[in-house]
Amino acid sequence: MVIAVLSACANLRYYAHVTHGEGSLLLQRRSVSKVIADPSTDPKLASRLQLSQQARRFASDQLDLPRNRSYTYYVQLNRPYVVWNVYATPRFSVEAVPQCFPIAGCVAYRGWFDERKAKAGAEQLRRQGYDVYRGGVPAYSTLGWFSDPILSSMLRWDDDELAGTIFHELAHQNIYAKGDTAFNESYAMFVEQQGLREWHRARGESIGDDHAQAMDDGFTKLVLDLRERLKKLYASGVDEEAMAKGKQREIEDFRARYAAWRDQNWPNDHRYDPWMAQPINNATLLPFGLYDQWTPAFAALFKQVHEQWPRFYDRVRTLAKEPKSEREDSLRALLGNE
C-alpha cells in the first residue's frame, strides 16, 4: 500500500510538471504572421517562418492533414529542445518499460520539459537496475488537444526537417492508436517522408538527399541487427553472468561492424561517430525500432490505394481500431506484399 501511494504521488508530481510545461508554451505563443511582420524580427527567422507556413498550408491542401491553428503560432524557447524523452528497458531485454498515461495510453518513454528533471528521472531508473537512454526532442504533438506551435527547436536544422516535422506531427493529430508507439511513429514517419517527396515535387525541387537517406537506412539496419542479436541472447537461457558478458561482447562487435561499414561505404562521412561514442545499452536502441518498424508497410498500403491520401487515412484509421495483435498481422501482410 505504501509503495502504491508513493507511486501515485510521483505520478501526480509528473502530471503537474507536464501541465506546467504545456501551459508555459501556450502562454508564450505569438502568431507567426505577427512575428514575421514585426520589424524587429531577424530576417532569417522571418524567412524560416514563412517557409513553415507554406508547409503548413501544403499539409492541409495536398496531404489532407488536419486544417486547424496548429503551427500558426511561434514560441521562442530558452533551451535547445522542447522536451527530453527518457527510455528504459530491463537489463536483459530490448523491450521498453511502458509509461502509461490517461490520454496517450502506454508509450515507450516519458517526456520532461526540464532537462534536470529528465536527468533525475533517468538516474532513478538506473538505480532500479534498468538500462536508460535520454534524448532531446525538437517537437511533439498534443494530438489536437491544443494548437501546437512552431518551436525555435524546430528551426535548428534544415528546411526538410522543418517541413517534415510539421507533416509528422499533424499526422499524429489525424490518427493515433492508443498504446502502440511503433504503429503511431511508423505511420507518422511515412507521412513525413512521402509528404516531403510531394512537397519537393510541387516546388520543382530535387527530391531529398539520396546519400543521406542511404546512409541513414544502412545505419538503422546495423542497429536493428544488434537488437535482434541481443534479443536472441536474452532468450537463450544462459545464466546472468554469461548474459552480461555476451551483451558487452555483442555491443563491442557492433562497434567494430559499424567502423568497417563506415570505412567501406562512407569513408568521408562520420556523422554517426558521436552517437557511437556514447554508452550503448538496450534503451539506446529503442528509438530506431519505434520510428521505422512499419514504415515499409505503410508505403505498401499507400500504393494499394493508388496514392490517394483520403483512402490511405481511411485504411490506417481502420488498422488503428483493430486489436494490436490483429493490427500487427495486417501490417506483416502488407510487408509481404511490398
Side-chain angles (χ1 to χ4, degrees), residues 98-109:
Q99 304 292 321
C100 300
F101 308 100
I103 296 172
C106 295
V107 297
Y109 50 82

Side-chain angles (χ1 to χ4, degrees), residues 85 87 109 168 185-186 189 286-293 295:
N85 284 345
Y87 301 81
Y109 50 82
H168 185 109
E185 295 299 345
S186 296
M189 184 57 72
L286 278 177
F288 290 87
L290 295 176
Y291 282 78
D292 45 36
Q293 178 179 350
T295 301

Side-chain angles (χ1 to χ4, degrees), residues 89-243:
T89 68
R91 186 184 177 197
F92 298 124
S93 172
V94 294
E95 300 301 322
V97 176
Q99 304 292 321
C100 300
F101 308 100
I103 296 172
C106 295
V107 297
Y109 50 82
R110 176 166 288 208
W112 300 86
F113 286 91
D114 185 317
E115 186 176 15
R116 291 173 301 177
K117 291 184 182 296
K119 288 179 178 177
E123 184 55 36
Q124 183 178 27
L125 288 165
R126 285 193 189 93
R127 288 197 298 268
Q128 294 174 35
Y130 293 115
D131 278 9
V132 178
Y133 171 65
R134 174 175 51 84
V137 179
Y140 69 95
S141 174
T142 60
L143 306 180
W145 284 82
F146 302 102
S147 296
D148 299 320
I150 299 286
L151 303 164
S152 57
S153 54
M154 295 168 61
L155 306 180
R156 297 172 58 219
W157 293 298
D158 62 18
D159 291 348
D160 272 12
E161 188 80 25
L162 174 57
T165 299
I166 291 171
F167 303 157
H168 185 109
E169 302 304 340
L170 285 171
H172 283 311
Q173 289 190 20
N174 200 24
I175 300 169
Y176 185 83
K178 192 172 182 178
D180 194 340
T181 303
F183 174 86
N184 293 323
E185 295 299 345
S186 296
Y187 147 71
M189 184 57 72
F190 169 75
V191 174
E192 174 183 336
Q193 293 172 349
Q194 180 62 27
L196 281 172
R197 283 190 282 270
E198 297 189 17
W199 163 254
H200 286 302
R201 190 158 52 236
R203 293 162 63 88
E205 299 169 345
S206 59
I207 300 177
D209 182 345
D210 290 340
H211 169 96
Q213 188 61 55
M215 192 173 186
D216 287 348
D217 291 346
F219 184 72
T220 297
K221 186 176 180 180
L222 284 173
V223 174
L224 294 181
D225 177 67
L226 172 60
R227 285 190 65 192
E228 283 303 309
R229 289 168 182 261
L230 290 173
K231 187 175 181 179
K232 289 179 181 178
L233 170 66
Y234 301 150
S236 66
V238 298
D239 62 47
E240 187 171 308
E241 181 180 355
M243 202 168 289

Side-chain angles (χ1 to χ4, degrees), residues 219 222 225-226 229 248-265 273 276 280:
F219 184 72
L222 284 173
D225 177 67
L226 172 60
R229 289 168 182 261
Q248 192 58 41
R249 183 173 58 252
E250 289 290 358
I251 291 171
E252 292 308 313
D253 288 349
F254 165 69
R255 293 186 189 277
R257 287 195 300 276
Y258 163 76
W261 168 82
R262 180 201 61 202
D263 294 344
Q264 179 178 348
N265 299 286
D273 285 11
M276 293 295 298
I280 296 174

